Amino acid sequence: MGLLLLLTSALLSSYFHPGSVVKAQRVVILKDISLSMEPSHVVSRNTNVTLRCRANVVSVEKALSREYTIYKDGNAIYNKTSSTSEDLLYHLSEVRVSDNGKYSCRISAEGQQATSSAKKLEVTGLSKPVLHVNERVVAEGKEITATCTAHGERGSIFFYFYENATEIEERQVNSNQIEVKLRLSSVGTHRIHCAYAVFVRPDSFKSEESNAVSVTVEELHIAPVLEIFPHSKIYEGDELFVSCSVKGPPPTDKMHLYLSRGNQLLDRGNTTVSHRGIALAKDIGDFECRLEIGSVVKNDQGTISVTELFSVPTLTVSPAEVFQREDITLTCKSESSASERLGQEGLTYALEPPRSQLVPKGIGIFSGKSPSNDFNYTCVARAKNIVKHSEVLTVRPKVPVTTPKISVVGRAVLGRRFTILCQSDIGSLPINYTLLKGYDQLNTEAVTQPFQQALFTVSVDRPDEISKFTCRAKNSHREALLSTRLNATVIEPLSHPILTVIPGLSEISEEDNLHLICGVRGTPPVTFKWYRVGTELPLSTTTSDKNNTHYQVHGLSKEHSGVYYCEARNHANNVVRSEHVTIEVRMALWKKLMIGGFCLLVLFLLVVVSVLCFRSKRGKREAAAELSVKPASPKSDDSLTVNLTHDTEVYNAATVRLDRAAVSVWSKRPSEDVNDVESSVASNEPDVEYTEVVHPRPVDPERAPLKIGTDTVYSELQNSPDGAADHHDYDSVQYPDLNGEQPEVNNYLLEVNNHQDLPVPVD
């Protein structure tokens, strides 16, 4: 057991311990890295400068490999790997201005990096440049070779060359020496020197000037010669000769001659060039003879003055205002001329184009009729082969104005201001229009623009007053043209609106046709509208060429009752409204007649009922006190008679049943031959006998059997003359056979009893 524990401990120890050592060797700490410059960060040129890169590296391993990198202005300039802890030294030998810049150091070890802060190195002082030329004396046009050297300098260098303090050349190279070709500007002695500048971004450092070298330029013994004939008092038309030649020994190089006047090249050649022509006033200016030999340029100039033989002619027209087909005169004249060289006969004038209808009337005078359209004229003056043209004269003949037309703009409304237009169909502007009323001049308008109109604002108080207006037009010296009288309709505003109702207000009844006539005073056409109070929209709208029109309503009813009015409008745009008219639709005549007849019928019925009631009351006072019941007649099969006698139980029951009063109808017993019961009243008889007659209705075979439809008539039965009633032994009521069916009669009697139309029989 102890051996096992020992082996386990050894294995664990051998497993964990080596891993820990490896992890300790990989730990690297970089700190306190810095860059220093020795002897200083500001030094003069040719000084040896040492850059020291120092870093404190913490590591388990002493001989740790590390990498150093030196940077200048962000660019790596040196790299070294070292396994020692010594500082890195970077040497700059004999520093120059080009070594100026910001330096920094970076160290890398085991994947760790650290960079020092940047430090600027400043080197002062530049070497003096040295200038050499290959020749001190050169011929005109020749080049020299100049060399400028900046000893010991490095980097990007700009070289400058000067001639008499003027910069003539600039070059950039990456070396300390440059060679250029220089061509000096003119004949004579020239001082040449150079300088340089070292460019170190973002600055540049300029050196002092080099030594000066004198170079003499000798002139070539050759020159151009310009000659002009004649030399003086040159007039237009004179023959002019100009030559350009070379004076001196011919050069070895090829030469070129050029003859020009201003910007116009007249001739070119190698030895001699010339120009021949007629002198003109426009030839006034400088002539130049130019000689080119290689890069050498020589010139000779000359100026001439040419006297104008005659001036440019001017062309005028008279009269100033020209109208179509009227007489005009064109005058062509030169304001000045050289009389010593030119006589009057030597100067002539003509018009162009030749097809002009104007004919000459003298020197420079042309007359005739003006054209109908615009026309361009040019005057041509000639003398001694000199031709001059005048400026173009455009003759625009005016069109005489035509008779003007007078009209009204819009509508003329009585009592309101309106506009009158006076206008001619044809006529050149400006045109003056004048408005007249009768013989009085009211106003004048001048039309000067193409779309301008002559408008006049007036008003009239009477319709016939508008015919007094006229206008006249004028655009020339001619007499003004007068228009005709103004013929226009004067609109009278509407007034006095009246709403007429047909039929009359008291005669309007149902089912009639109603006519609402709206009339006004004013100028038609008139737009009429009918309204009913309470309705926003019009009932009808119509336009009429008359002063009145109507609106018809068919089949009036009570719903058409209401308040009506009308409105009218014409072109005067004024709206007039009539007074309100109240319309009441009355009942139709046939309805009135029907109601009257019904009322009369009701009245008649009331009278009949009243009479019957009166007679009934009178009969009750005279009624007998005895009620008897009589059997029905053996021959009668249509009725049932019941006689009631006073002081009997049946009579009393019947009396109580009739409105609780002693109301009865008495009559004599009718004969067996008579179907109807005739009643009579015996006021002087004390005893009255009552008989009830029941009339069954015929049975319709197609209808149900009649059960309760009976007619009951009560009649007063007059007593016998002896004062006693005609008594019979009526112990019971006998019922006749109705339609031969006794069961139905029994039913009928039961229903009669149920409705209490008959008194109950007494056994």
Side-chain angles (χ1 to χ4, degrees), residues 237-535:
D238 292 348
E239 186 176 357
L240 185 65
F241 178 78
V242 181
S243 67
C244 177
S245 60
V246 177
K247 180 182 179 182
T252 57
D253 295 337
K254 189 176 181 179
M255 65 180 183
H256 300 280
L257 283 174
Y258 301 94
L259 177 61
S260 62
R261 179 179 60 203
N263 295 326
Q264 181 183 6
L265 180 63
L266 301 178
D267 198 5
R268 59 181 294 181
N270 295 327
T271 57
T272 302
V273 293
S274 63
H275 171 72
R276 188 183 301 273
I278 301 300
L280 299 175
K282 64 180 181 180
D283 293 338
I284 298 176
D286 294 334
F287 287 85
E288 181 184 31
C289 178
R290 180 183 177 90
L291 172 63
E292 293 183 0
I293 304 174
S295 61
V296 177
V297 176
K298 294 179 178 290
N299 58 64
D300 188 14
Q301 293 182 346
T303 302
I304 64 172
S305 177
V306 180
T307 302
E308 192 174 39
L309 191 62
F310 58 91
S311 62
V312 176
T314 56
L315 184 62
T316 58
V317 61
S318 62
E321 290 186 347
V322 179
F323 287 85
Q324 291 178 346
R325 312 308 303 169
E326 289 189 351
D327 293 334
I328 62 171
T329 299
L330 298 183
T331 302
C332 183
K333 182 180 180 181
S334 294
E335 297 297 332
S336 62
S337 62
S339 58
E340 65 274 15
R341 287 291 188 96
L342 184 64
Q344 290 295 331
E345 295 78 7
L347 182 59
T348 61
Y349 299 97
L351 284 181
E352 289 184 354
R355 65 179 182 274
S356 171
Q357 298 179 358
L358 303 181
V359 296
K361 296 296 183 180
I363 299 175
I365 300 175
F366 306 88
S367 300
K369 294 292 184 180
S370 64
S372 300
N373 302 317
D374 295 355
F375 205 84
N376 295 329
Y377 294 95
T378 302
C379 174
V380 181
R382 291 183 176 89
K384 291 187 176 183
N385 297 326
I386 302 299
V387 179
K388 295 183 179 180
H389 293 77
S390 69
E391 294 183 357
V392 177
L393 174 65
T394 301
V395 177
R396 293 184 173 87
K398 292 187 175 182
V399 180
V401 69
T402 58
T403 301
K405 298 178 182 179
I406 188 170
S407 60
V408 173
V409 178
R411 296 183 175 91
V413 180
L414 194 68
R416 299 182 188 176
R417 299 186 69 81
F418 59 92
T419 301
I420 293 178
L421 170 64
C422 187
Q423 187 175 23
S424 296
D425 293 335
I426 301 175
S428 298
L429 301 177
I431 303 175
N432 293 326
Y433 294 95
T434 303
L435 181 68
L436 299 93
K437 185 177 182 181
Y439 296 99
D440 298 330
Q441 179 176 322
L442 299 182
N443 196 7
T444 300
E445 289 287 339
V447 176
T448 59
Q449 301 297 327
F451 300 101
Q452 186 179 354
Q453 292 180 326
L455 301 175
F456 305 91
T457 303
V458 296
S459 63
V460 293
D461 297 326
R462 301 188 310 276
D464 59 348
E465 190 178 343
I466 197 169
S467 62
K468 296 182 180 180
F469 290 100
T470 58
C471 74
R472 63 190 180 194
K474 183 177 181 181
N475 72 337
S476 66
H477 55 277
R478 298 178 180 179
E479 184 178 355
L481 299 178
L482 187 66
S483 72
T484 59
R485 293 184 177 273
L486 179 59
N487 183 15
T489 301
V490 179
I491 300 175
E492 180 182 357
L494 299 181
S495 61
H496 302 86
I498 299 176
L499 180 61
T500 306
V501 181
I502 297 177
L505 296 177
S506 61
E507 301 175 1
I508 300 174
S509 60
E510 292 178 320
E511 299 183 0
D512 287 348
N513 293 332
L514 177 66
H515 295 268
L516 300 177
I517 302 174
C518 191
V520 293
R521 179 185 298 173
T523 304
V526 182
T527 300
F528 294 92
K529 294 182 180 181
W530 287 266
Y531 291 88
R532 180 179 179 180
V533 175
T535 303

Side-chain angles (χ1 to χ4, degrees), residues 522-582:
T523 304
V526 182
T527 300
F528 294 92
K529 294 182 180 181
W530 287 266
Y531 291 88
R532 180 179 179 180
V533 175
T535 303
E536 182 178 357
L537 297 177
L539 302 176
S540 178
T541 301
T542 184
T543 301
S544 175
D545 291 331
K546 299 180 181 180
N547 291 68
N548 59 79
T549 186
H550 72 281
Y551 167 61
Q552 185 175 1
V553 181
H554 298 279
L556 290 176
S557 62
K558 283 291 186 178
E559 288 76 12
H560 291 99
S561 299
V563 179
Y564 293 80
Y565 66 93
C566 70
E567 287 184 354
R569 179 199 297 265
N570 68 349
H571 290 312
N573 289 328
N574 69 313
V575 179
V576 294
R577 179 181 295 179
S578 69
E579 294 183 355
H580 290 189
V581 175
T582 302

Side-chain angles (χ1 to χ4, degrees), residues 533-759:
V533 175
T535 303
E536 182 178 357
L537 297 177
L539 302 176
S540 178
T541 301
T542 184
T543 301
S544 175
D545 291 331
K546 299 180 181 180
N547 291 68
N548 59 79
T549 186
H550 72 281
Y551 167 61
Q552 185 175 1
V553 181
H554 298 279
L556 290 176
S557 62
K558 283 291 186 178
E559 288 76 12
H560 291 99
S561 299
V563 179
Y564 293 80
Y565 66 93
C566 70
E567 287 184 354
R569 179 199 297 265
N570 68 349
H571 290 312
N573 289 328
N574 69 313
V575 179
V576 294
R577 179 181 295 179
S578 69
E579 294 183 355
H580 290 189
V581 175
T582 302
I583 294 177
E584 182 180 356
V585 181
R586 292 173 172 79
M587 187 179 297
L589 180 60
W590 66 270
K591 290 185 179 181
K592 294 180 181 179
L593 294 177
M594 185 176 69
I595 294 174
F598 180 77
C599 292
L600 291 176
L601 179 61
V602 171
L603 181 61
F604 174 76
L605 292 177
L606 291 176
V607 171
V608 171
V609 171
S610 300
V611 171
L612 292 178
C613 290
F614 175 76
R615 293 181 63 183
S616 175
K617 290 180 181 180
R618 183 178 178 185
K620 286 192 298 180
R621 289 193 300 267
E622 298 176 358
E626 181 177 323
L627 179 62
S628 61
V629 179
K630 295 181 180 183
S633 176
K635 296 180 180 181
S636 177
D637 56 356
D638 295 331
S639 63
L640 175 65
T641 304
V642 179
N643 293 329
L644 302 178
T645 308
H646 293 292
D647 300 330
T648 64
E649 186 177 357
V650 175
Y651 172 76
N652 293 333
T655 303
V656 173
R657 182 74 185 93
L658 298 176
D659 296 333
R660 299 182 182 275
V663 180
S664 65
V665 180
W666 58 273
S667 63
K668 292 182 181 182
R669 179 179 179 85
S671 62
E672 296 177 359
D673 299 329
V674 181
N675 295 330
D676 296 333
V677 179
E678 297 181 357
S679 301
S680 63
V681 178
S683 60
N684 55 356
E685 294 296 332
D687 296 329
V688 179
E689 189 178 82
Y690 297 88
T691 302
E692 179 180 358
V693 181
V694 179
H695 299 279
R697 296 181 181 178
V699 178
D700 190 347
E702 297 179 0
R703 299 178 58 185
L706 181 63
K707 296 181 180 181
I708 55 176
T710 61
D711 295 333
T712 303
V713 178
Y714 289 92
S715 303
E716 291 186 49
L717 302 181
Q718 187 175 4
N719 293 331
S720 61
D722 56 359
D726 189 8
H727 295 287
H728 298 275
D729 295 330
Y730 300 118
D731 296 333
S732 63
V733 178
Q734 295 181 2
Y735 299 93
D737 184 8
L738 298 177
N739 296 329
E741 294 182 2
Q742 186 62 34
E744 183 153 345
V745 172
N746 294 335
N747 294 335
Y748 167 74
L749 292 177
L750 292 176
E751 292 184 7
V752 169
N753 292 333
N754 291 336
H755 288 80
Q756 299 179 1
D757 291 331
L758 294 176

